[in-house]
Amino acid sequence: MKSPIGHLIGGELVSCAHARLQDVYNPATGEVLGHVELAARSTVEAAIAAAQAAFPAWSGILPAKRARLLGRFMALLEARADEICALITLEHGKVLDDARGELHRGIENVEFATYMPELLKGEHSKNVGPKIDSWSEFQPLGVVAGITPFNFPAMVPLWMYPAAIACGNTFVLKPSERDPSAALYIAQLALEAGIPSGVLNVVNGDKEAVDTLLTDKRVQAVSFVGSTPIAEYIYATASAHGKRVQALGGAKNHAVVMPDADLENAVNALMGAAYGSCGERCMAISVAVAVGNEVGDALVERLGAALAKLKVGPGTVRGAEMGPLISKPHFEKVRGYVDAGVAEGAKLAVDGRGLNVPGHEGGYFLGGTLFDHVTPEMSIYRDEIFGPVLCVVRAHSLEEAMALIDAHEYGNGTCIFTRDGEAARYFTDNIRVGMVGVNVPLPVPVSYHSFGGWKRSLFGDLSAYGPDAVRFYTRRKTVSQRWPAGGVRETAQFAFPA
Ligand code: NAD
């Protein structure tokens, strides 16, 4: 039997006898690929101890030297892209092109981390008082933990630790136990690049591992990306244990299609945004709000025609546009939502249930599904389905469409398709959502902007990566300094210094 996927602790691949194991599947076939160890508390504590031990030396290294090591890491990620993408597709199921896109966006974040010496320069004021200079500097926190979801097994970890370690912290990553291999492989490349042992550690596991990270006194901060109920739990628990926390949660992203939109472009954009990665993206568009019935009818007709041509198949097959869902339970959950939508009275315009992918009957494939005449009280509208299901809602005006979006519990991403600059500006100015696109269906910020939603899509004050990461992974210290001239006598001052 293949040995189970273990952990990377203090620069060594570690396996624990008698560890609990979980199956890892190939979602395109339903076959068990192997097993992942679920770390016990003591294993996670060993990883935290390794990170703690590495911190003094690593935080003392010149920021430019840390950046150079990250530059080497970036080069290795580029050189080994094929191996990494093969692992992503094997365990996650997304098509290879999509895996490449994910990795590329992850590498962008490593590149951003290589600018850290510039970003850590701090703030300086000369003569804030008589012969007094003052500056603020940004010091690392210590041991930082990251807990990541299944849907971007390479990119989301790369949102976190490159910036964190570039700032001088050491890191313990807990990737998703459903597709753990890419994160572990990539962490080994960091070692190969020369990042010292213990600076980056990976523990695989479930709630037991996460709870250890949330409660251990040595962990100073926690970055989390995943579903909203868990994000809320992470935020409450880690905060109660005195840690700085950012917890990014789920989403229900709406695209507004205005009567003046270029409908063909909008349909093509919606196809990729709704069905790319089988809808398993936190920025996926899952609701299209058609402004006006004419747009609604035309949109549904054209989406239906495009769905008839959507190529669903294993991610490794050239030309496949959409792969399987991550797991059998998730497949059943998503199919259950399609059943619920029908029962709740939405019009099922395209039914993805019952899709057959020849030779892959055991895979978790669901065809692209389209609902029309969806209304806000339906579960398919309220809940994040995280599958290839697009709901079309009809609205009479832009204001009505925006009221709908604002009333939703999530506020991660949104987009408007229009040719009207005034409508676009009104939308971007007023919508209560964190990431907004104008004719851009997936407005995922590039690495030098930060990523974060509003409302119940983000718990915490700082977003992921970009400038916010520099603030999240450092602590400000402000120093005021005065060197009195020799021989000058000072008198006691009892008033507050002004
Ligand atoms: P998830 O919440 O089930 O798991 C995320 C992480 O939390 C995993 O590492 C998992 O092991 C851990 N976890 C799960 N249950 C736990 C528990 N009870 N206690 C402690 N830890 C627990 O999410 P997922 O299914 O892996 O990922 C999909 C979700 O992530 C979707 O909701 C999606 O919208 C969200 N997501 C959000 C963003 C964002 O930036 N906002 C990005 C990607 C994914």
Side-chain angles (χ1 to χ4, degrees):
M1 190 177 104
K2 232 168 79 177
S3 44
I5 300 161
H7 322 281
L8 182 72
I9 299 177
E12 302 289 334
L13 283 175
V14 173
S15 250
C16 303
H18 316 300
R20 288 180 299 130
L21 298 179
Q22 180 169 309
D23 294 342
V24 177
Y25 293 91
N26 176 349
T29 60
E31 286 159 359
V32 175
L33 294 167
H35 304 92
V36 61
E37 286 190 18
L38 302 176
R41 187 171 188 97
S42 56
T43 307
V44 183
E45 285 172 348
I48 298 169
Q52 173 99 329
F55 178 69
W58 180 247
S59 56
I61 288 178
L62 302 182
K65 166 96 187 201
R66 294 197 294 255
R68 271 200 294 277
L69 292 172
L70 282 157
R72 275 197 230 156
F73 175 44
M74 187 166 88
L76 281 176
L77 288 169
E78 279 163 348
R80 308 281 173 80
D82 287 348
E83 289 92 318
I84 297 167
C85 294
L87 284 175
I88 296 173
T89 294
L90 181 66
E91 292 182 356
H92 176 283
K94 64 177 73 177
V95 300
L96 269 172
D97 274 354
D98 192 31
R100 281 193 198 98
E102 158 175 5
L103 181 62
H104 180 82
R105 295 304 294 264
I107 290 174
E108 268 185 12
N109 286 278
V110 185
E111 185 177 31
F112 177 80
T114 65
Y115 311 153
M116 208 54 80
E118 164 72 18
L119 298 164
L120 287 176
K121 277 196 310 204
E123 300 154 357
H124 186 269
S125 299
K126 201 169 166 71
N127 292 332
V128 293
K131 297 205 171 12
I132 301 178
D133 301 332
S134 189
W135 72 86
S136 295
E137 59 188 48
F138 298 93
Q139 300 191 345
L141 306 172
V143 178
V144 173
I147 300 149
T148 54
F150 80 84
N151 66 321
F152 285 108
M155 180 183 78
V156 172
L158 291 172
W159 283 1
M160 298 176 180
Y161 64 77
I165 68 176
C167 291
N169 301 285
T170 53
F171 206 90
V172 180
L173 172 69
K174 206 301 284 171
S176 172
E177 63 277 37
R178 285 190 270 180
D179 47 9
S181 295
L184 193 61
Y185 180 84
I186 290 174
Q188 288 169 265
L189 295 184
L191 271 182
E192 196 179 324
I195 291 171
S197 301
V199 170
L200 172 62
N201 306 274
V202 181
V203 285
N204 281 304
D206 57 2
K207 184 168 168 53
E208 182 171 347
V210 171
D211 284 346
T212 308
L213 293 169
L214 302 183
T215 53
D216 192 292
K217 280 198 172 61
R218 293 167 292 182
V219 175
Q220 304 297 316
V222 175
S223 294
F224 172 86
V225 175
S227 59
T228 286
I230 309 298
E232 202 166 19
Y233 167 75
I234 300 277
Y235 187 74
T237 311
S239 305
H241 284 83
K243 303 180 195 323
R244 184 179 288 184
V245 196
Q246 54 178 186
L248 282 74
K252 192 84 179 178
N253 306 310
H254 297 56
V256 177
V257 184
M258 294 292 283
D260 66 352
D262 178 328
L263 208 54
E264 197 172 330
N265 280 347
V267 166
N268 287 335
L270 284 174
M271 285 298 295
Y275 302 108
S277 201
C278 212
E280 292 172 324
R281 290 179 181 145
C282 66
M283 288 293 277
I285 295 288
S286 46
V287 180
V289 189
V291 176
N293 267 330
E294 227 170 278
V295 180
D297 293 344
L299 190 65
V300 171
E301 192 191 321
R302 288 183 189 219
L303 283 167
L307 273 169
K309 294 189 216 138
L310 181 69
K311 296 188 191 77
V312 184
T316 45
V317 167
R318 190 178 274 276
E321 293 166 328
M322 188 176 97
L325 287 159
I326 180 73
S327 67
K328 186 112 200 278
H330 189 56
F331 169 84
E332 277 161 4
K333 182 177 154 191
V334 176
R335 195 178 51 185
Y337 270 112
V338 182
D339 298 343
V342 174
E344 287 168 332
K347 183 173 172 216
L348 186 57
V350 179
D351 186 355
R353 296 170 297 180
L355 174 87
N356 181 32
V357 178
H360 288 79
E361 285 72 14
Y364 315 132
F365 291 98
L366 188 73
T369 298
L370 181 66
F371 276 111
D372 192 9
H373 295 288
V374 174
T375 52
E377 71 288 351
M378 295 178 182
S379 64
I380 53 169
Y381 176 78
R382 284 194 323 265
D383 299 351
E384 180 183 46
I385 299 175
F386 225 54
V389 181
L390 178 63
C391 297
V392 176
V393 177
R394 314 276 184 125
H396 296 103
S397 63
L398 175 59
E399 287 72 17
E400 191 186 327
M402 289 172 65
L404 204 60
I405 298 171
D406 286 348
H408 205 284
E409 68 169 310
Y410 297 120
N412 215 37
T414 188
C415 153
I416 185 168
F417 293 103
T418 184
R419 290 190 244 220
D420 177 348
E422 192 184 340
R425 193 158 207 271
Y426 181 74
F427 185 77
T428 56
D429 280 354
N430 295 294
I431 201 73
R432 291 182 59 226
V433 171
M435 292 170 283
V436 183
V438 175
N439 300 315
V440 173
L442 296 177
V444 178
V446 288
S447 64
Y448 40 96
H449 288 259
S450 295
F451 179 109
W454 287 13
K455 297 185 273 182
R456 289 172 57 76
S457 292
L458 170 67
F459 301 87
D461 303 312
L462 291 167
S463 296
Y465 68 77
D468 273 14
V470 185
R471 291 291 170 268
F472 186 79
Y473 295 124
T474 59
R475 195 171 266 152
R476 177 190 296 263
K477 180 177 280 177
T478 304
V479 181
S480 299
Q481 172 176 271
R482 174 164 173 254
W483 294 103
V488 173
R489 277 293 131 250
E490 298 184 11
T491 54
Q493 302 287 333
F494 295 96
F496 196 67

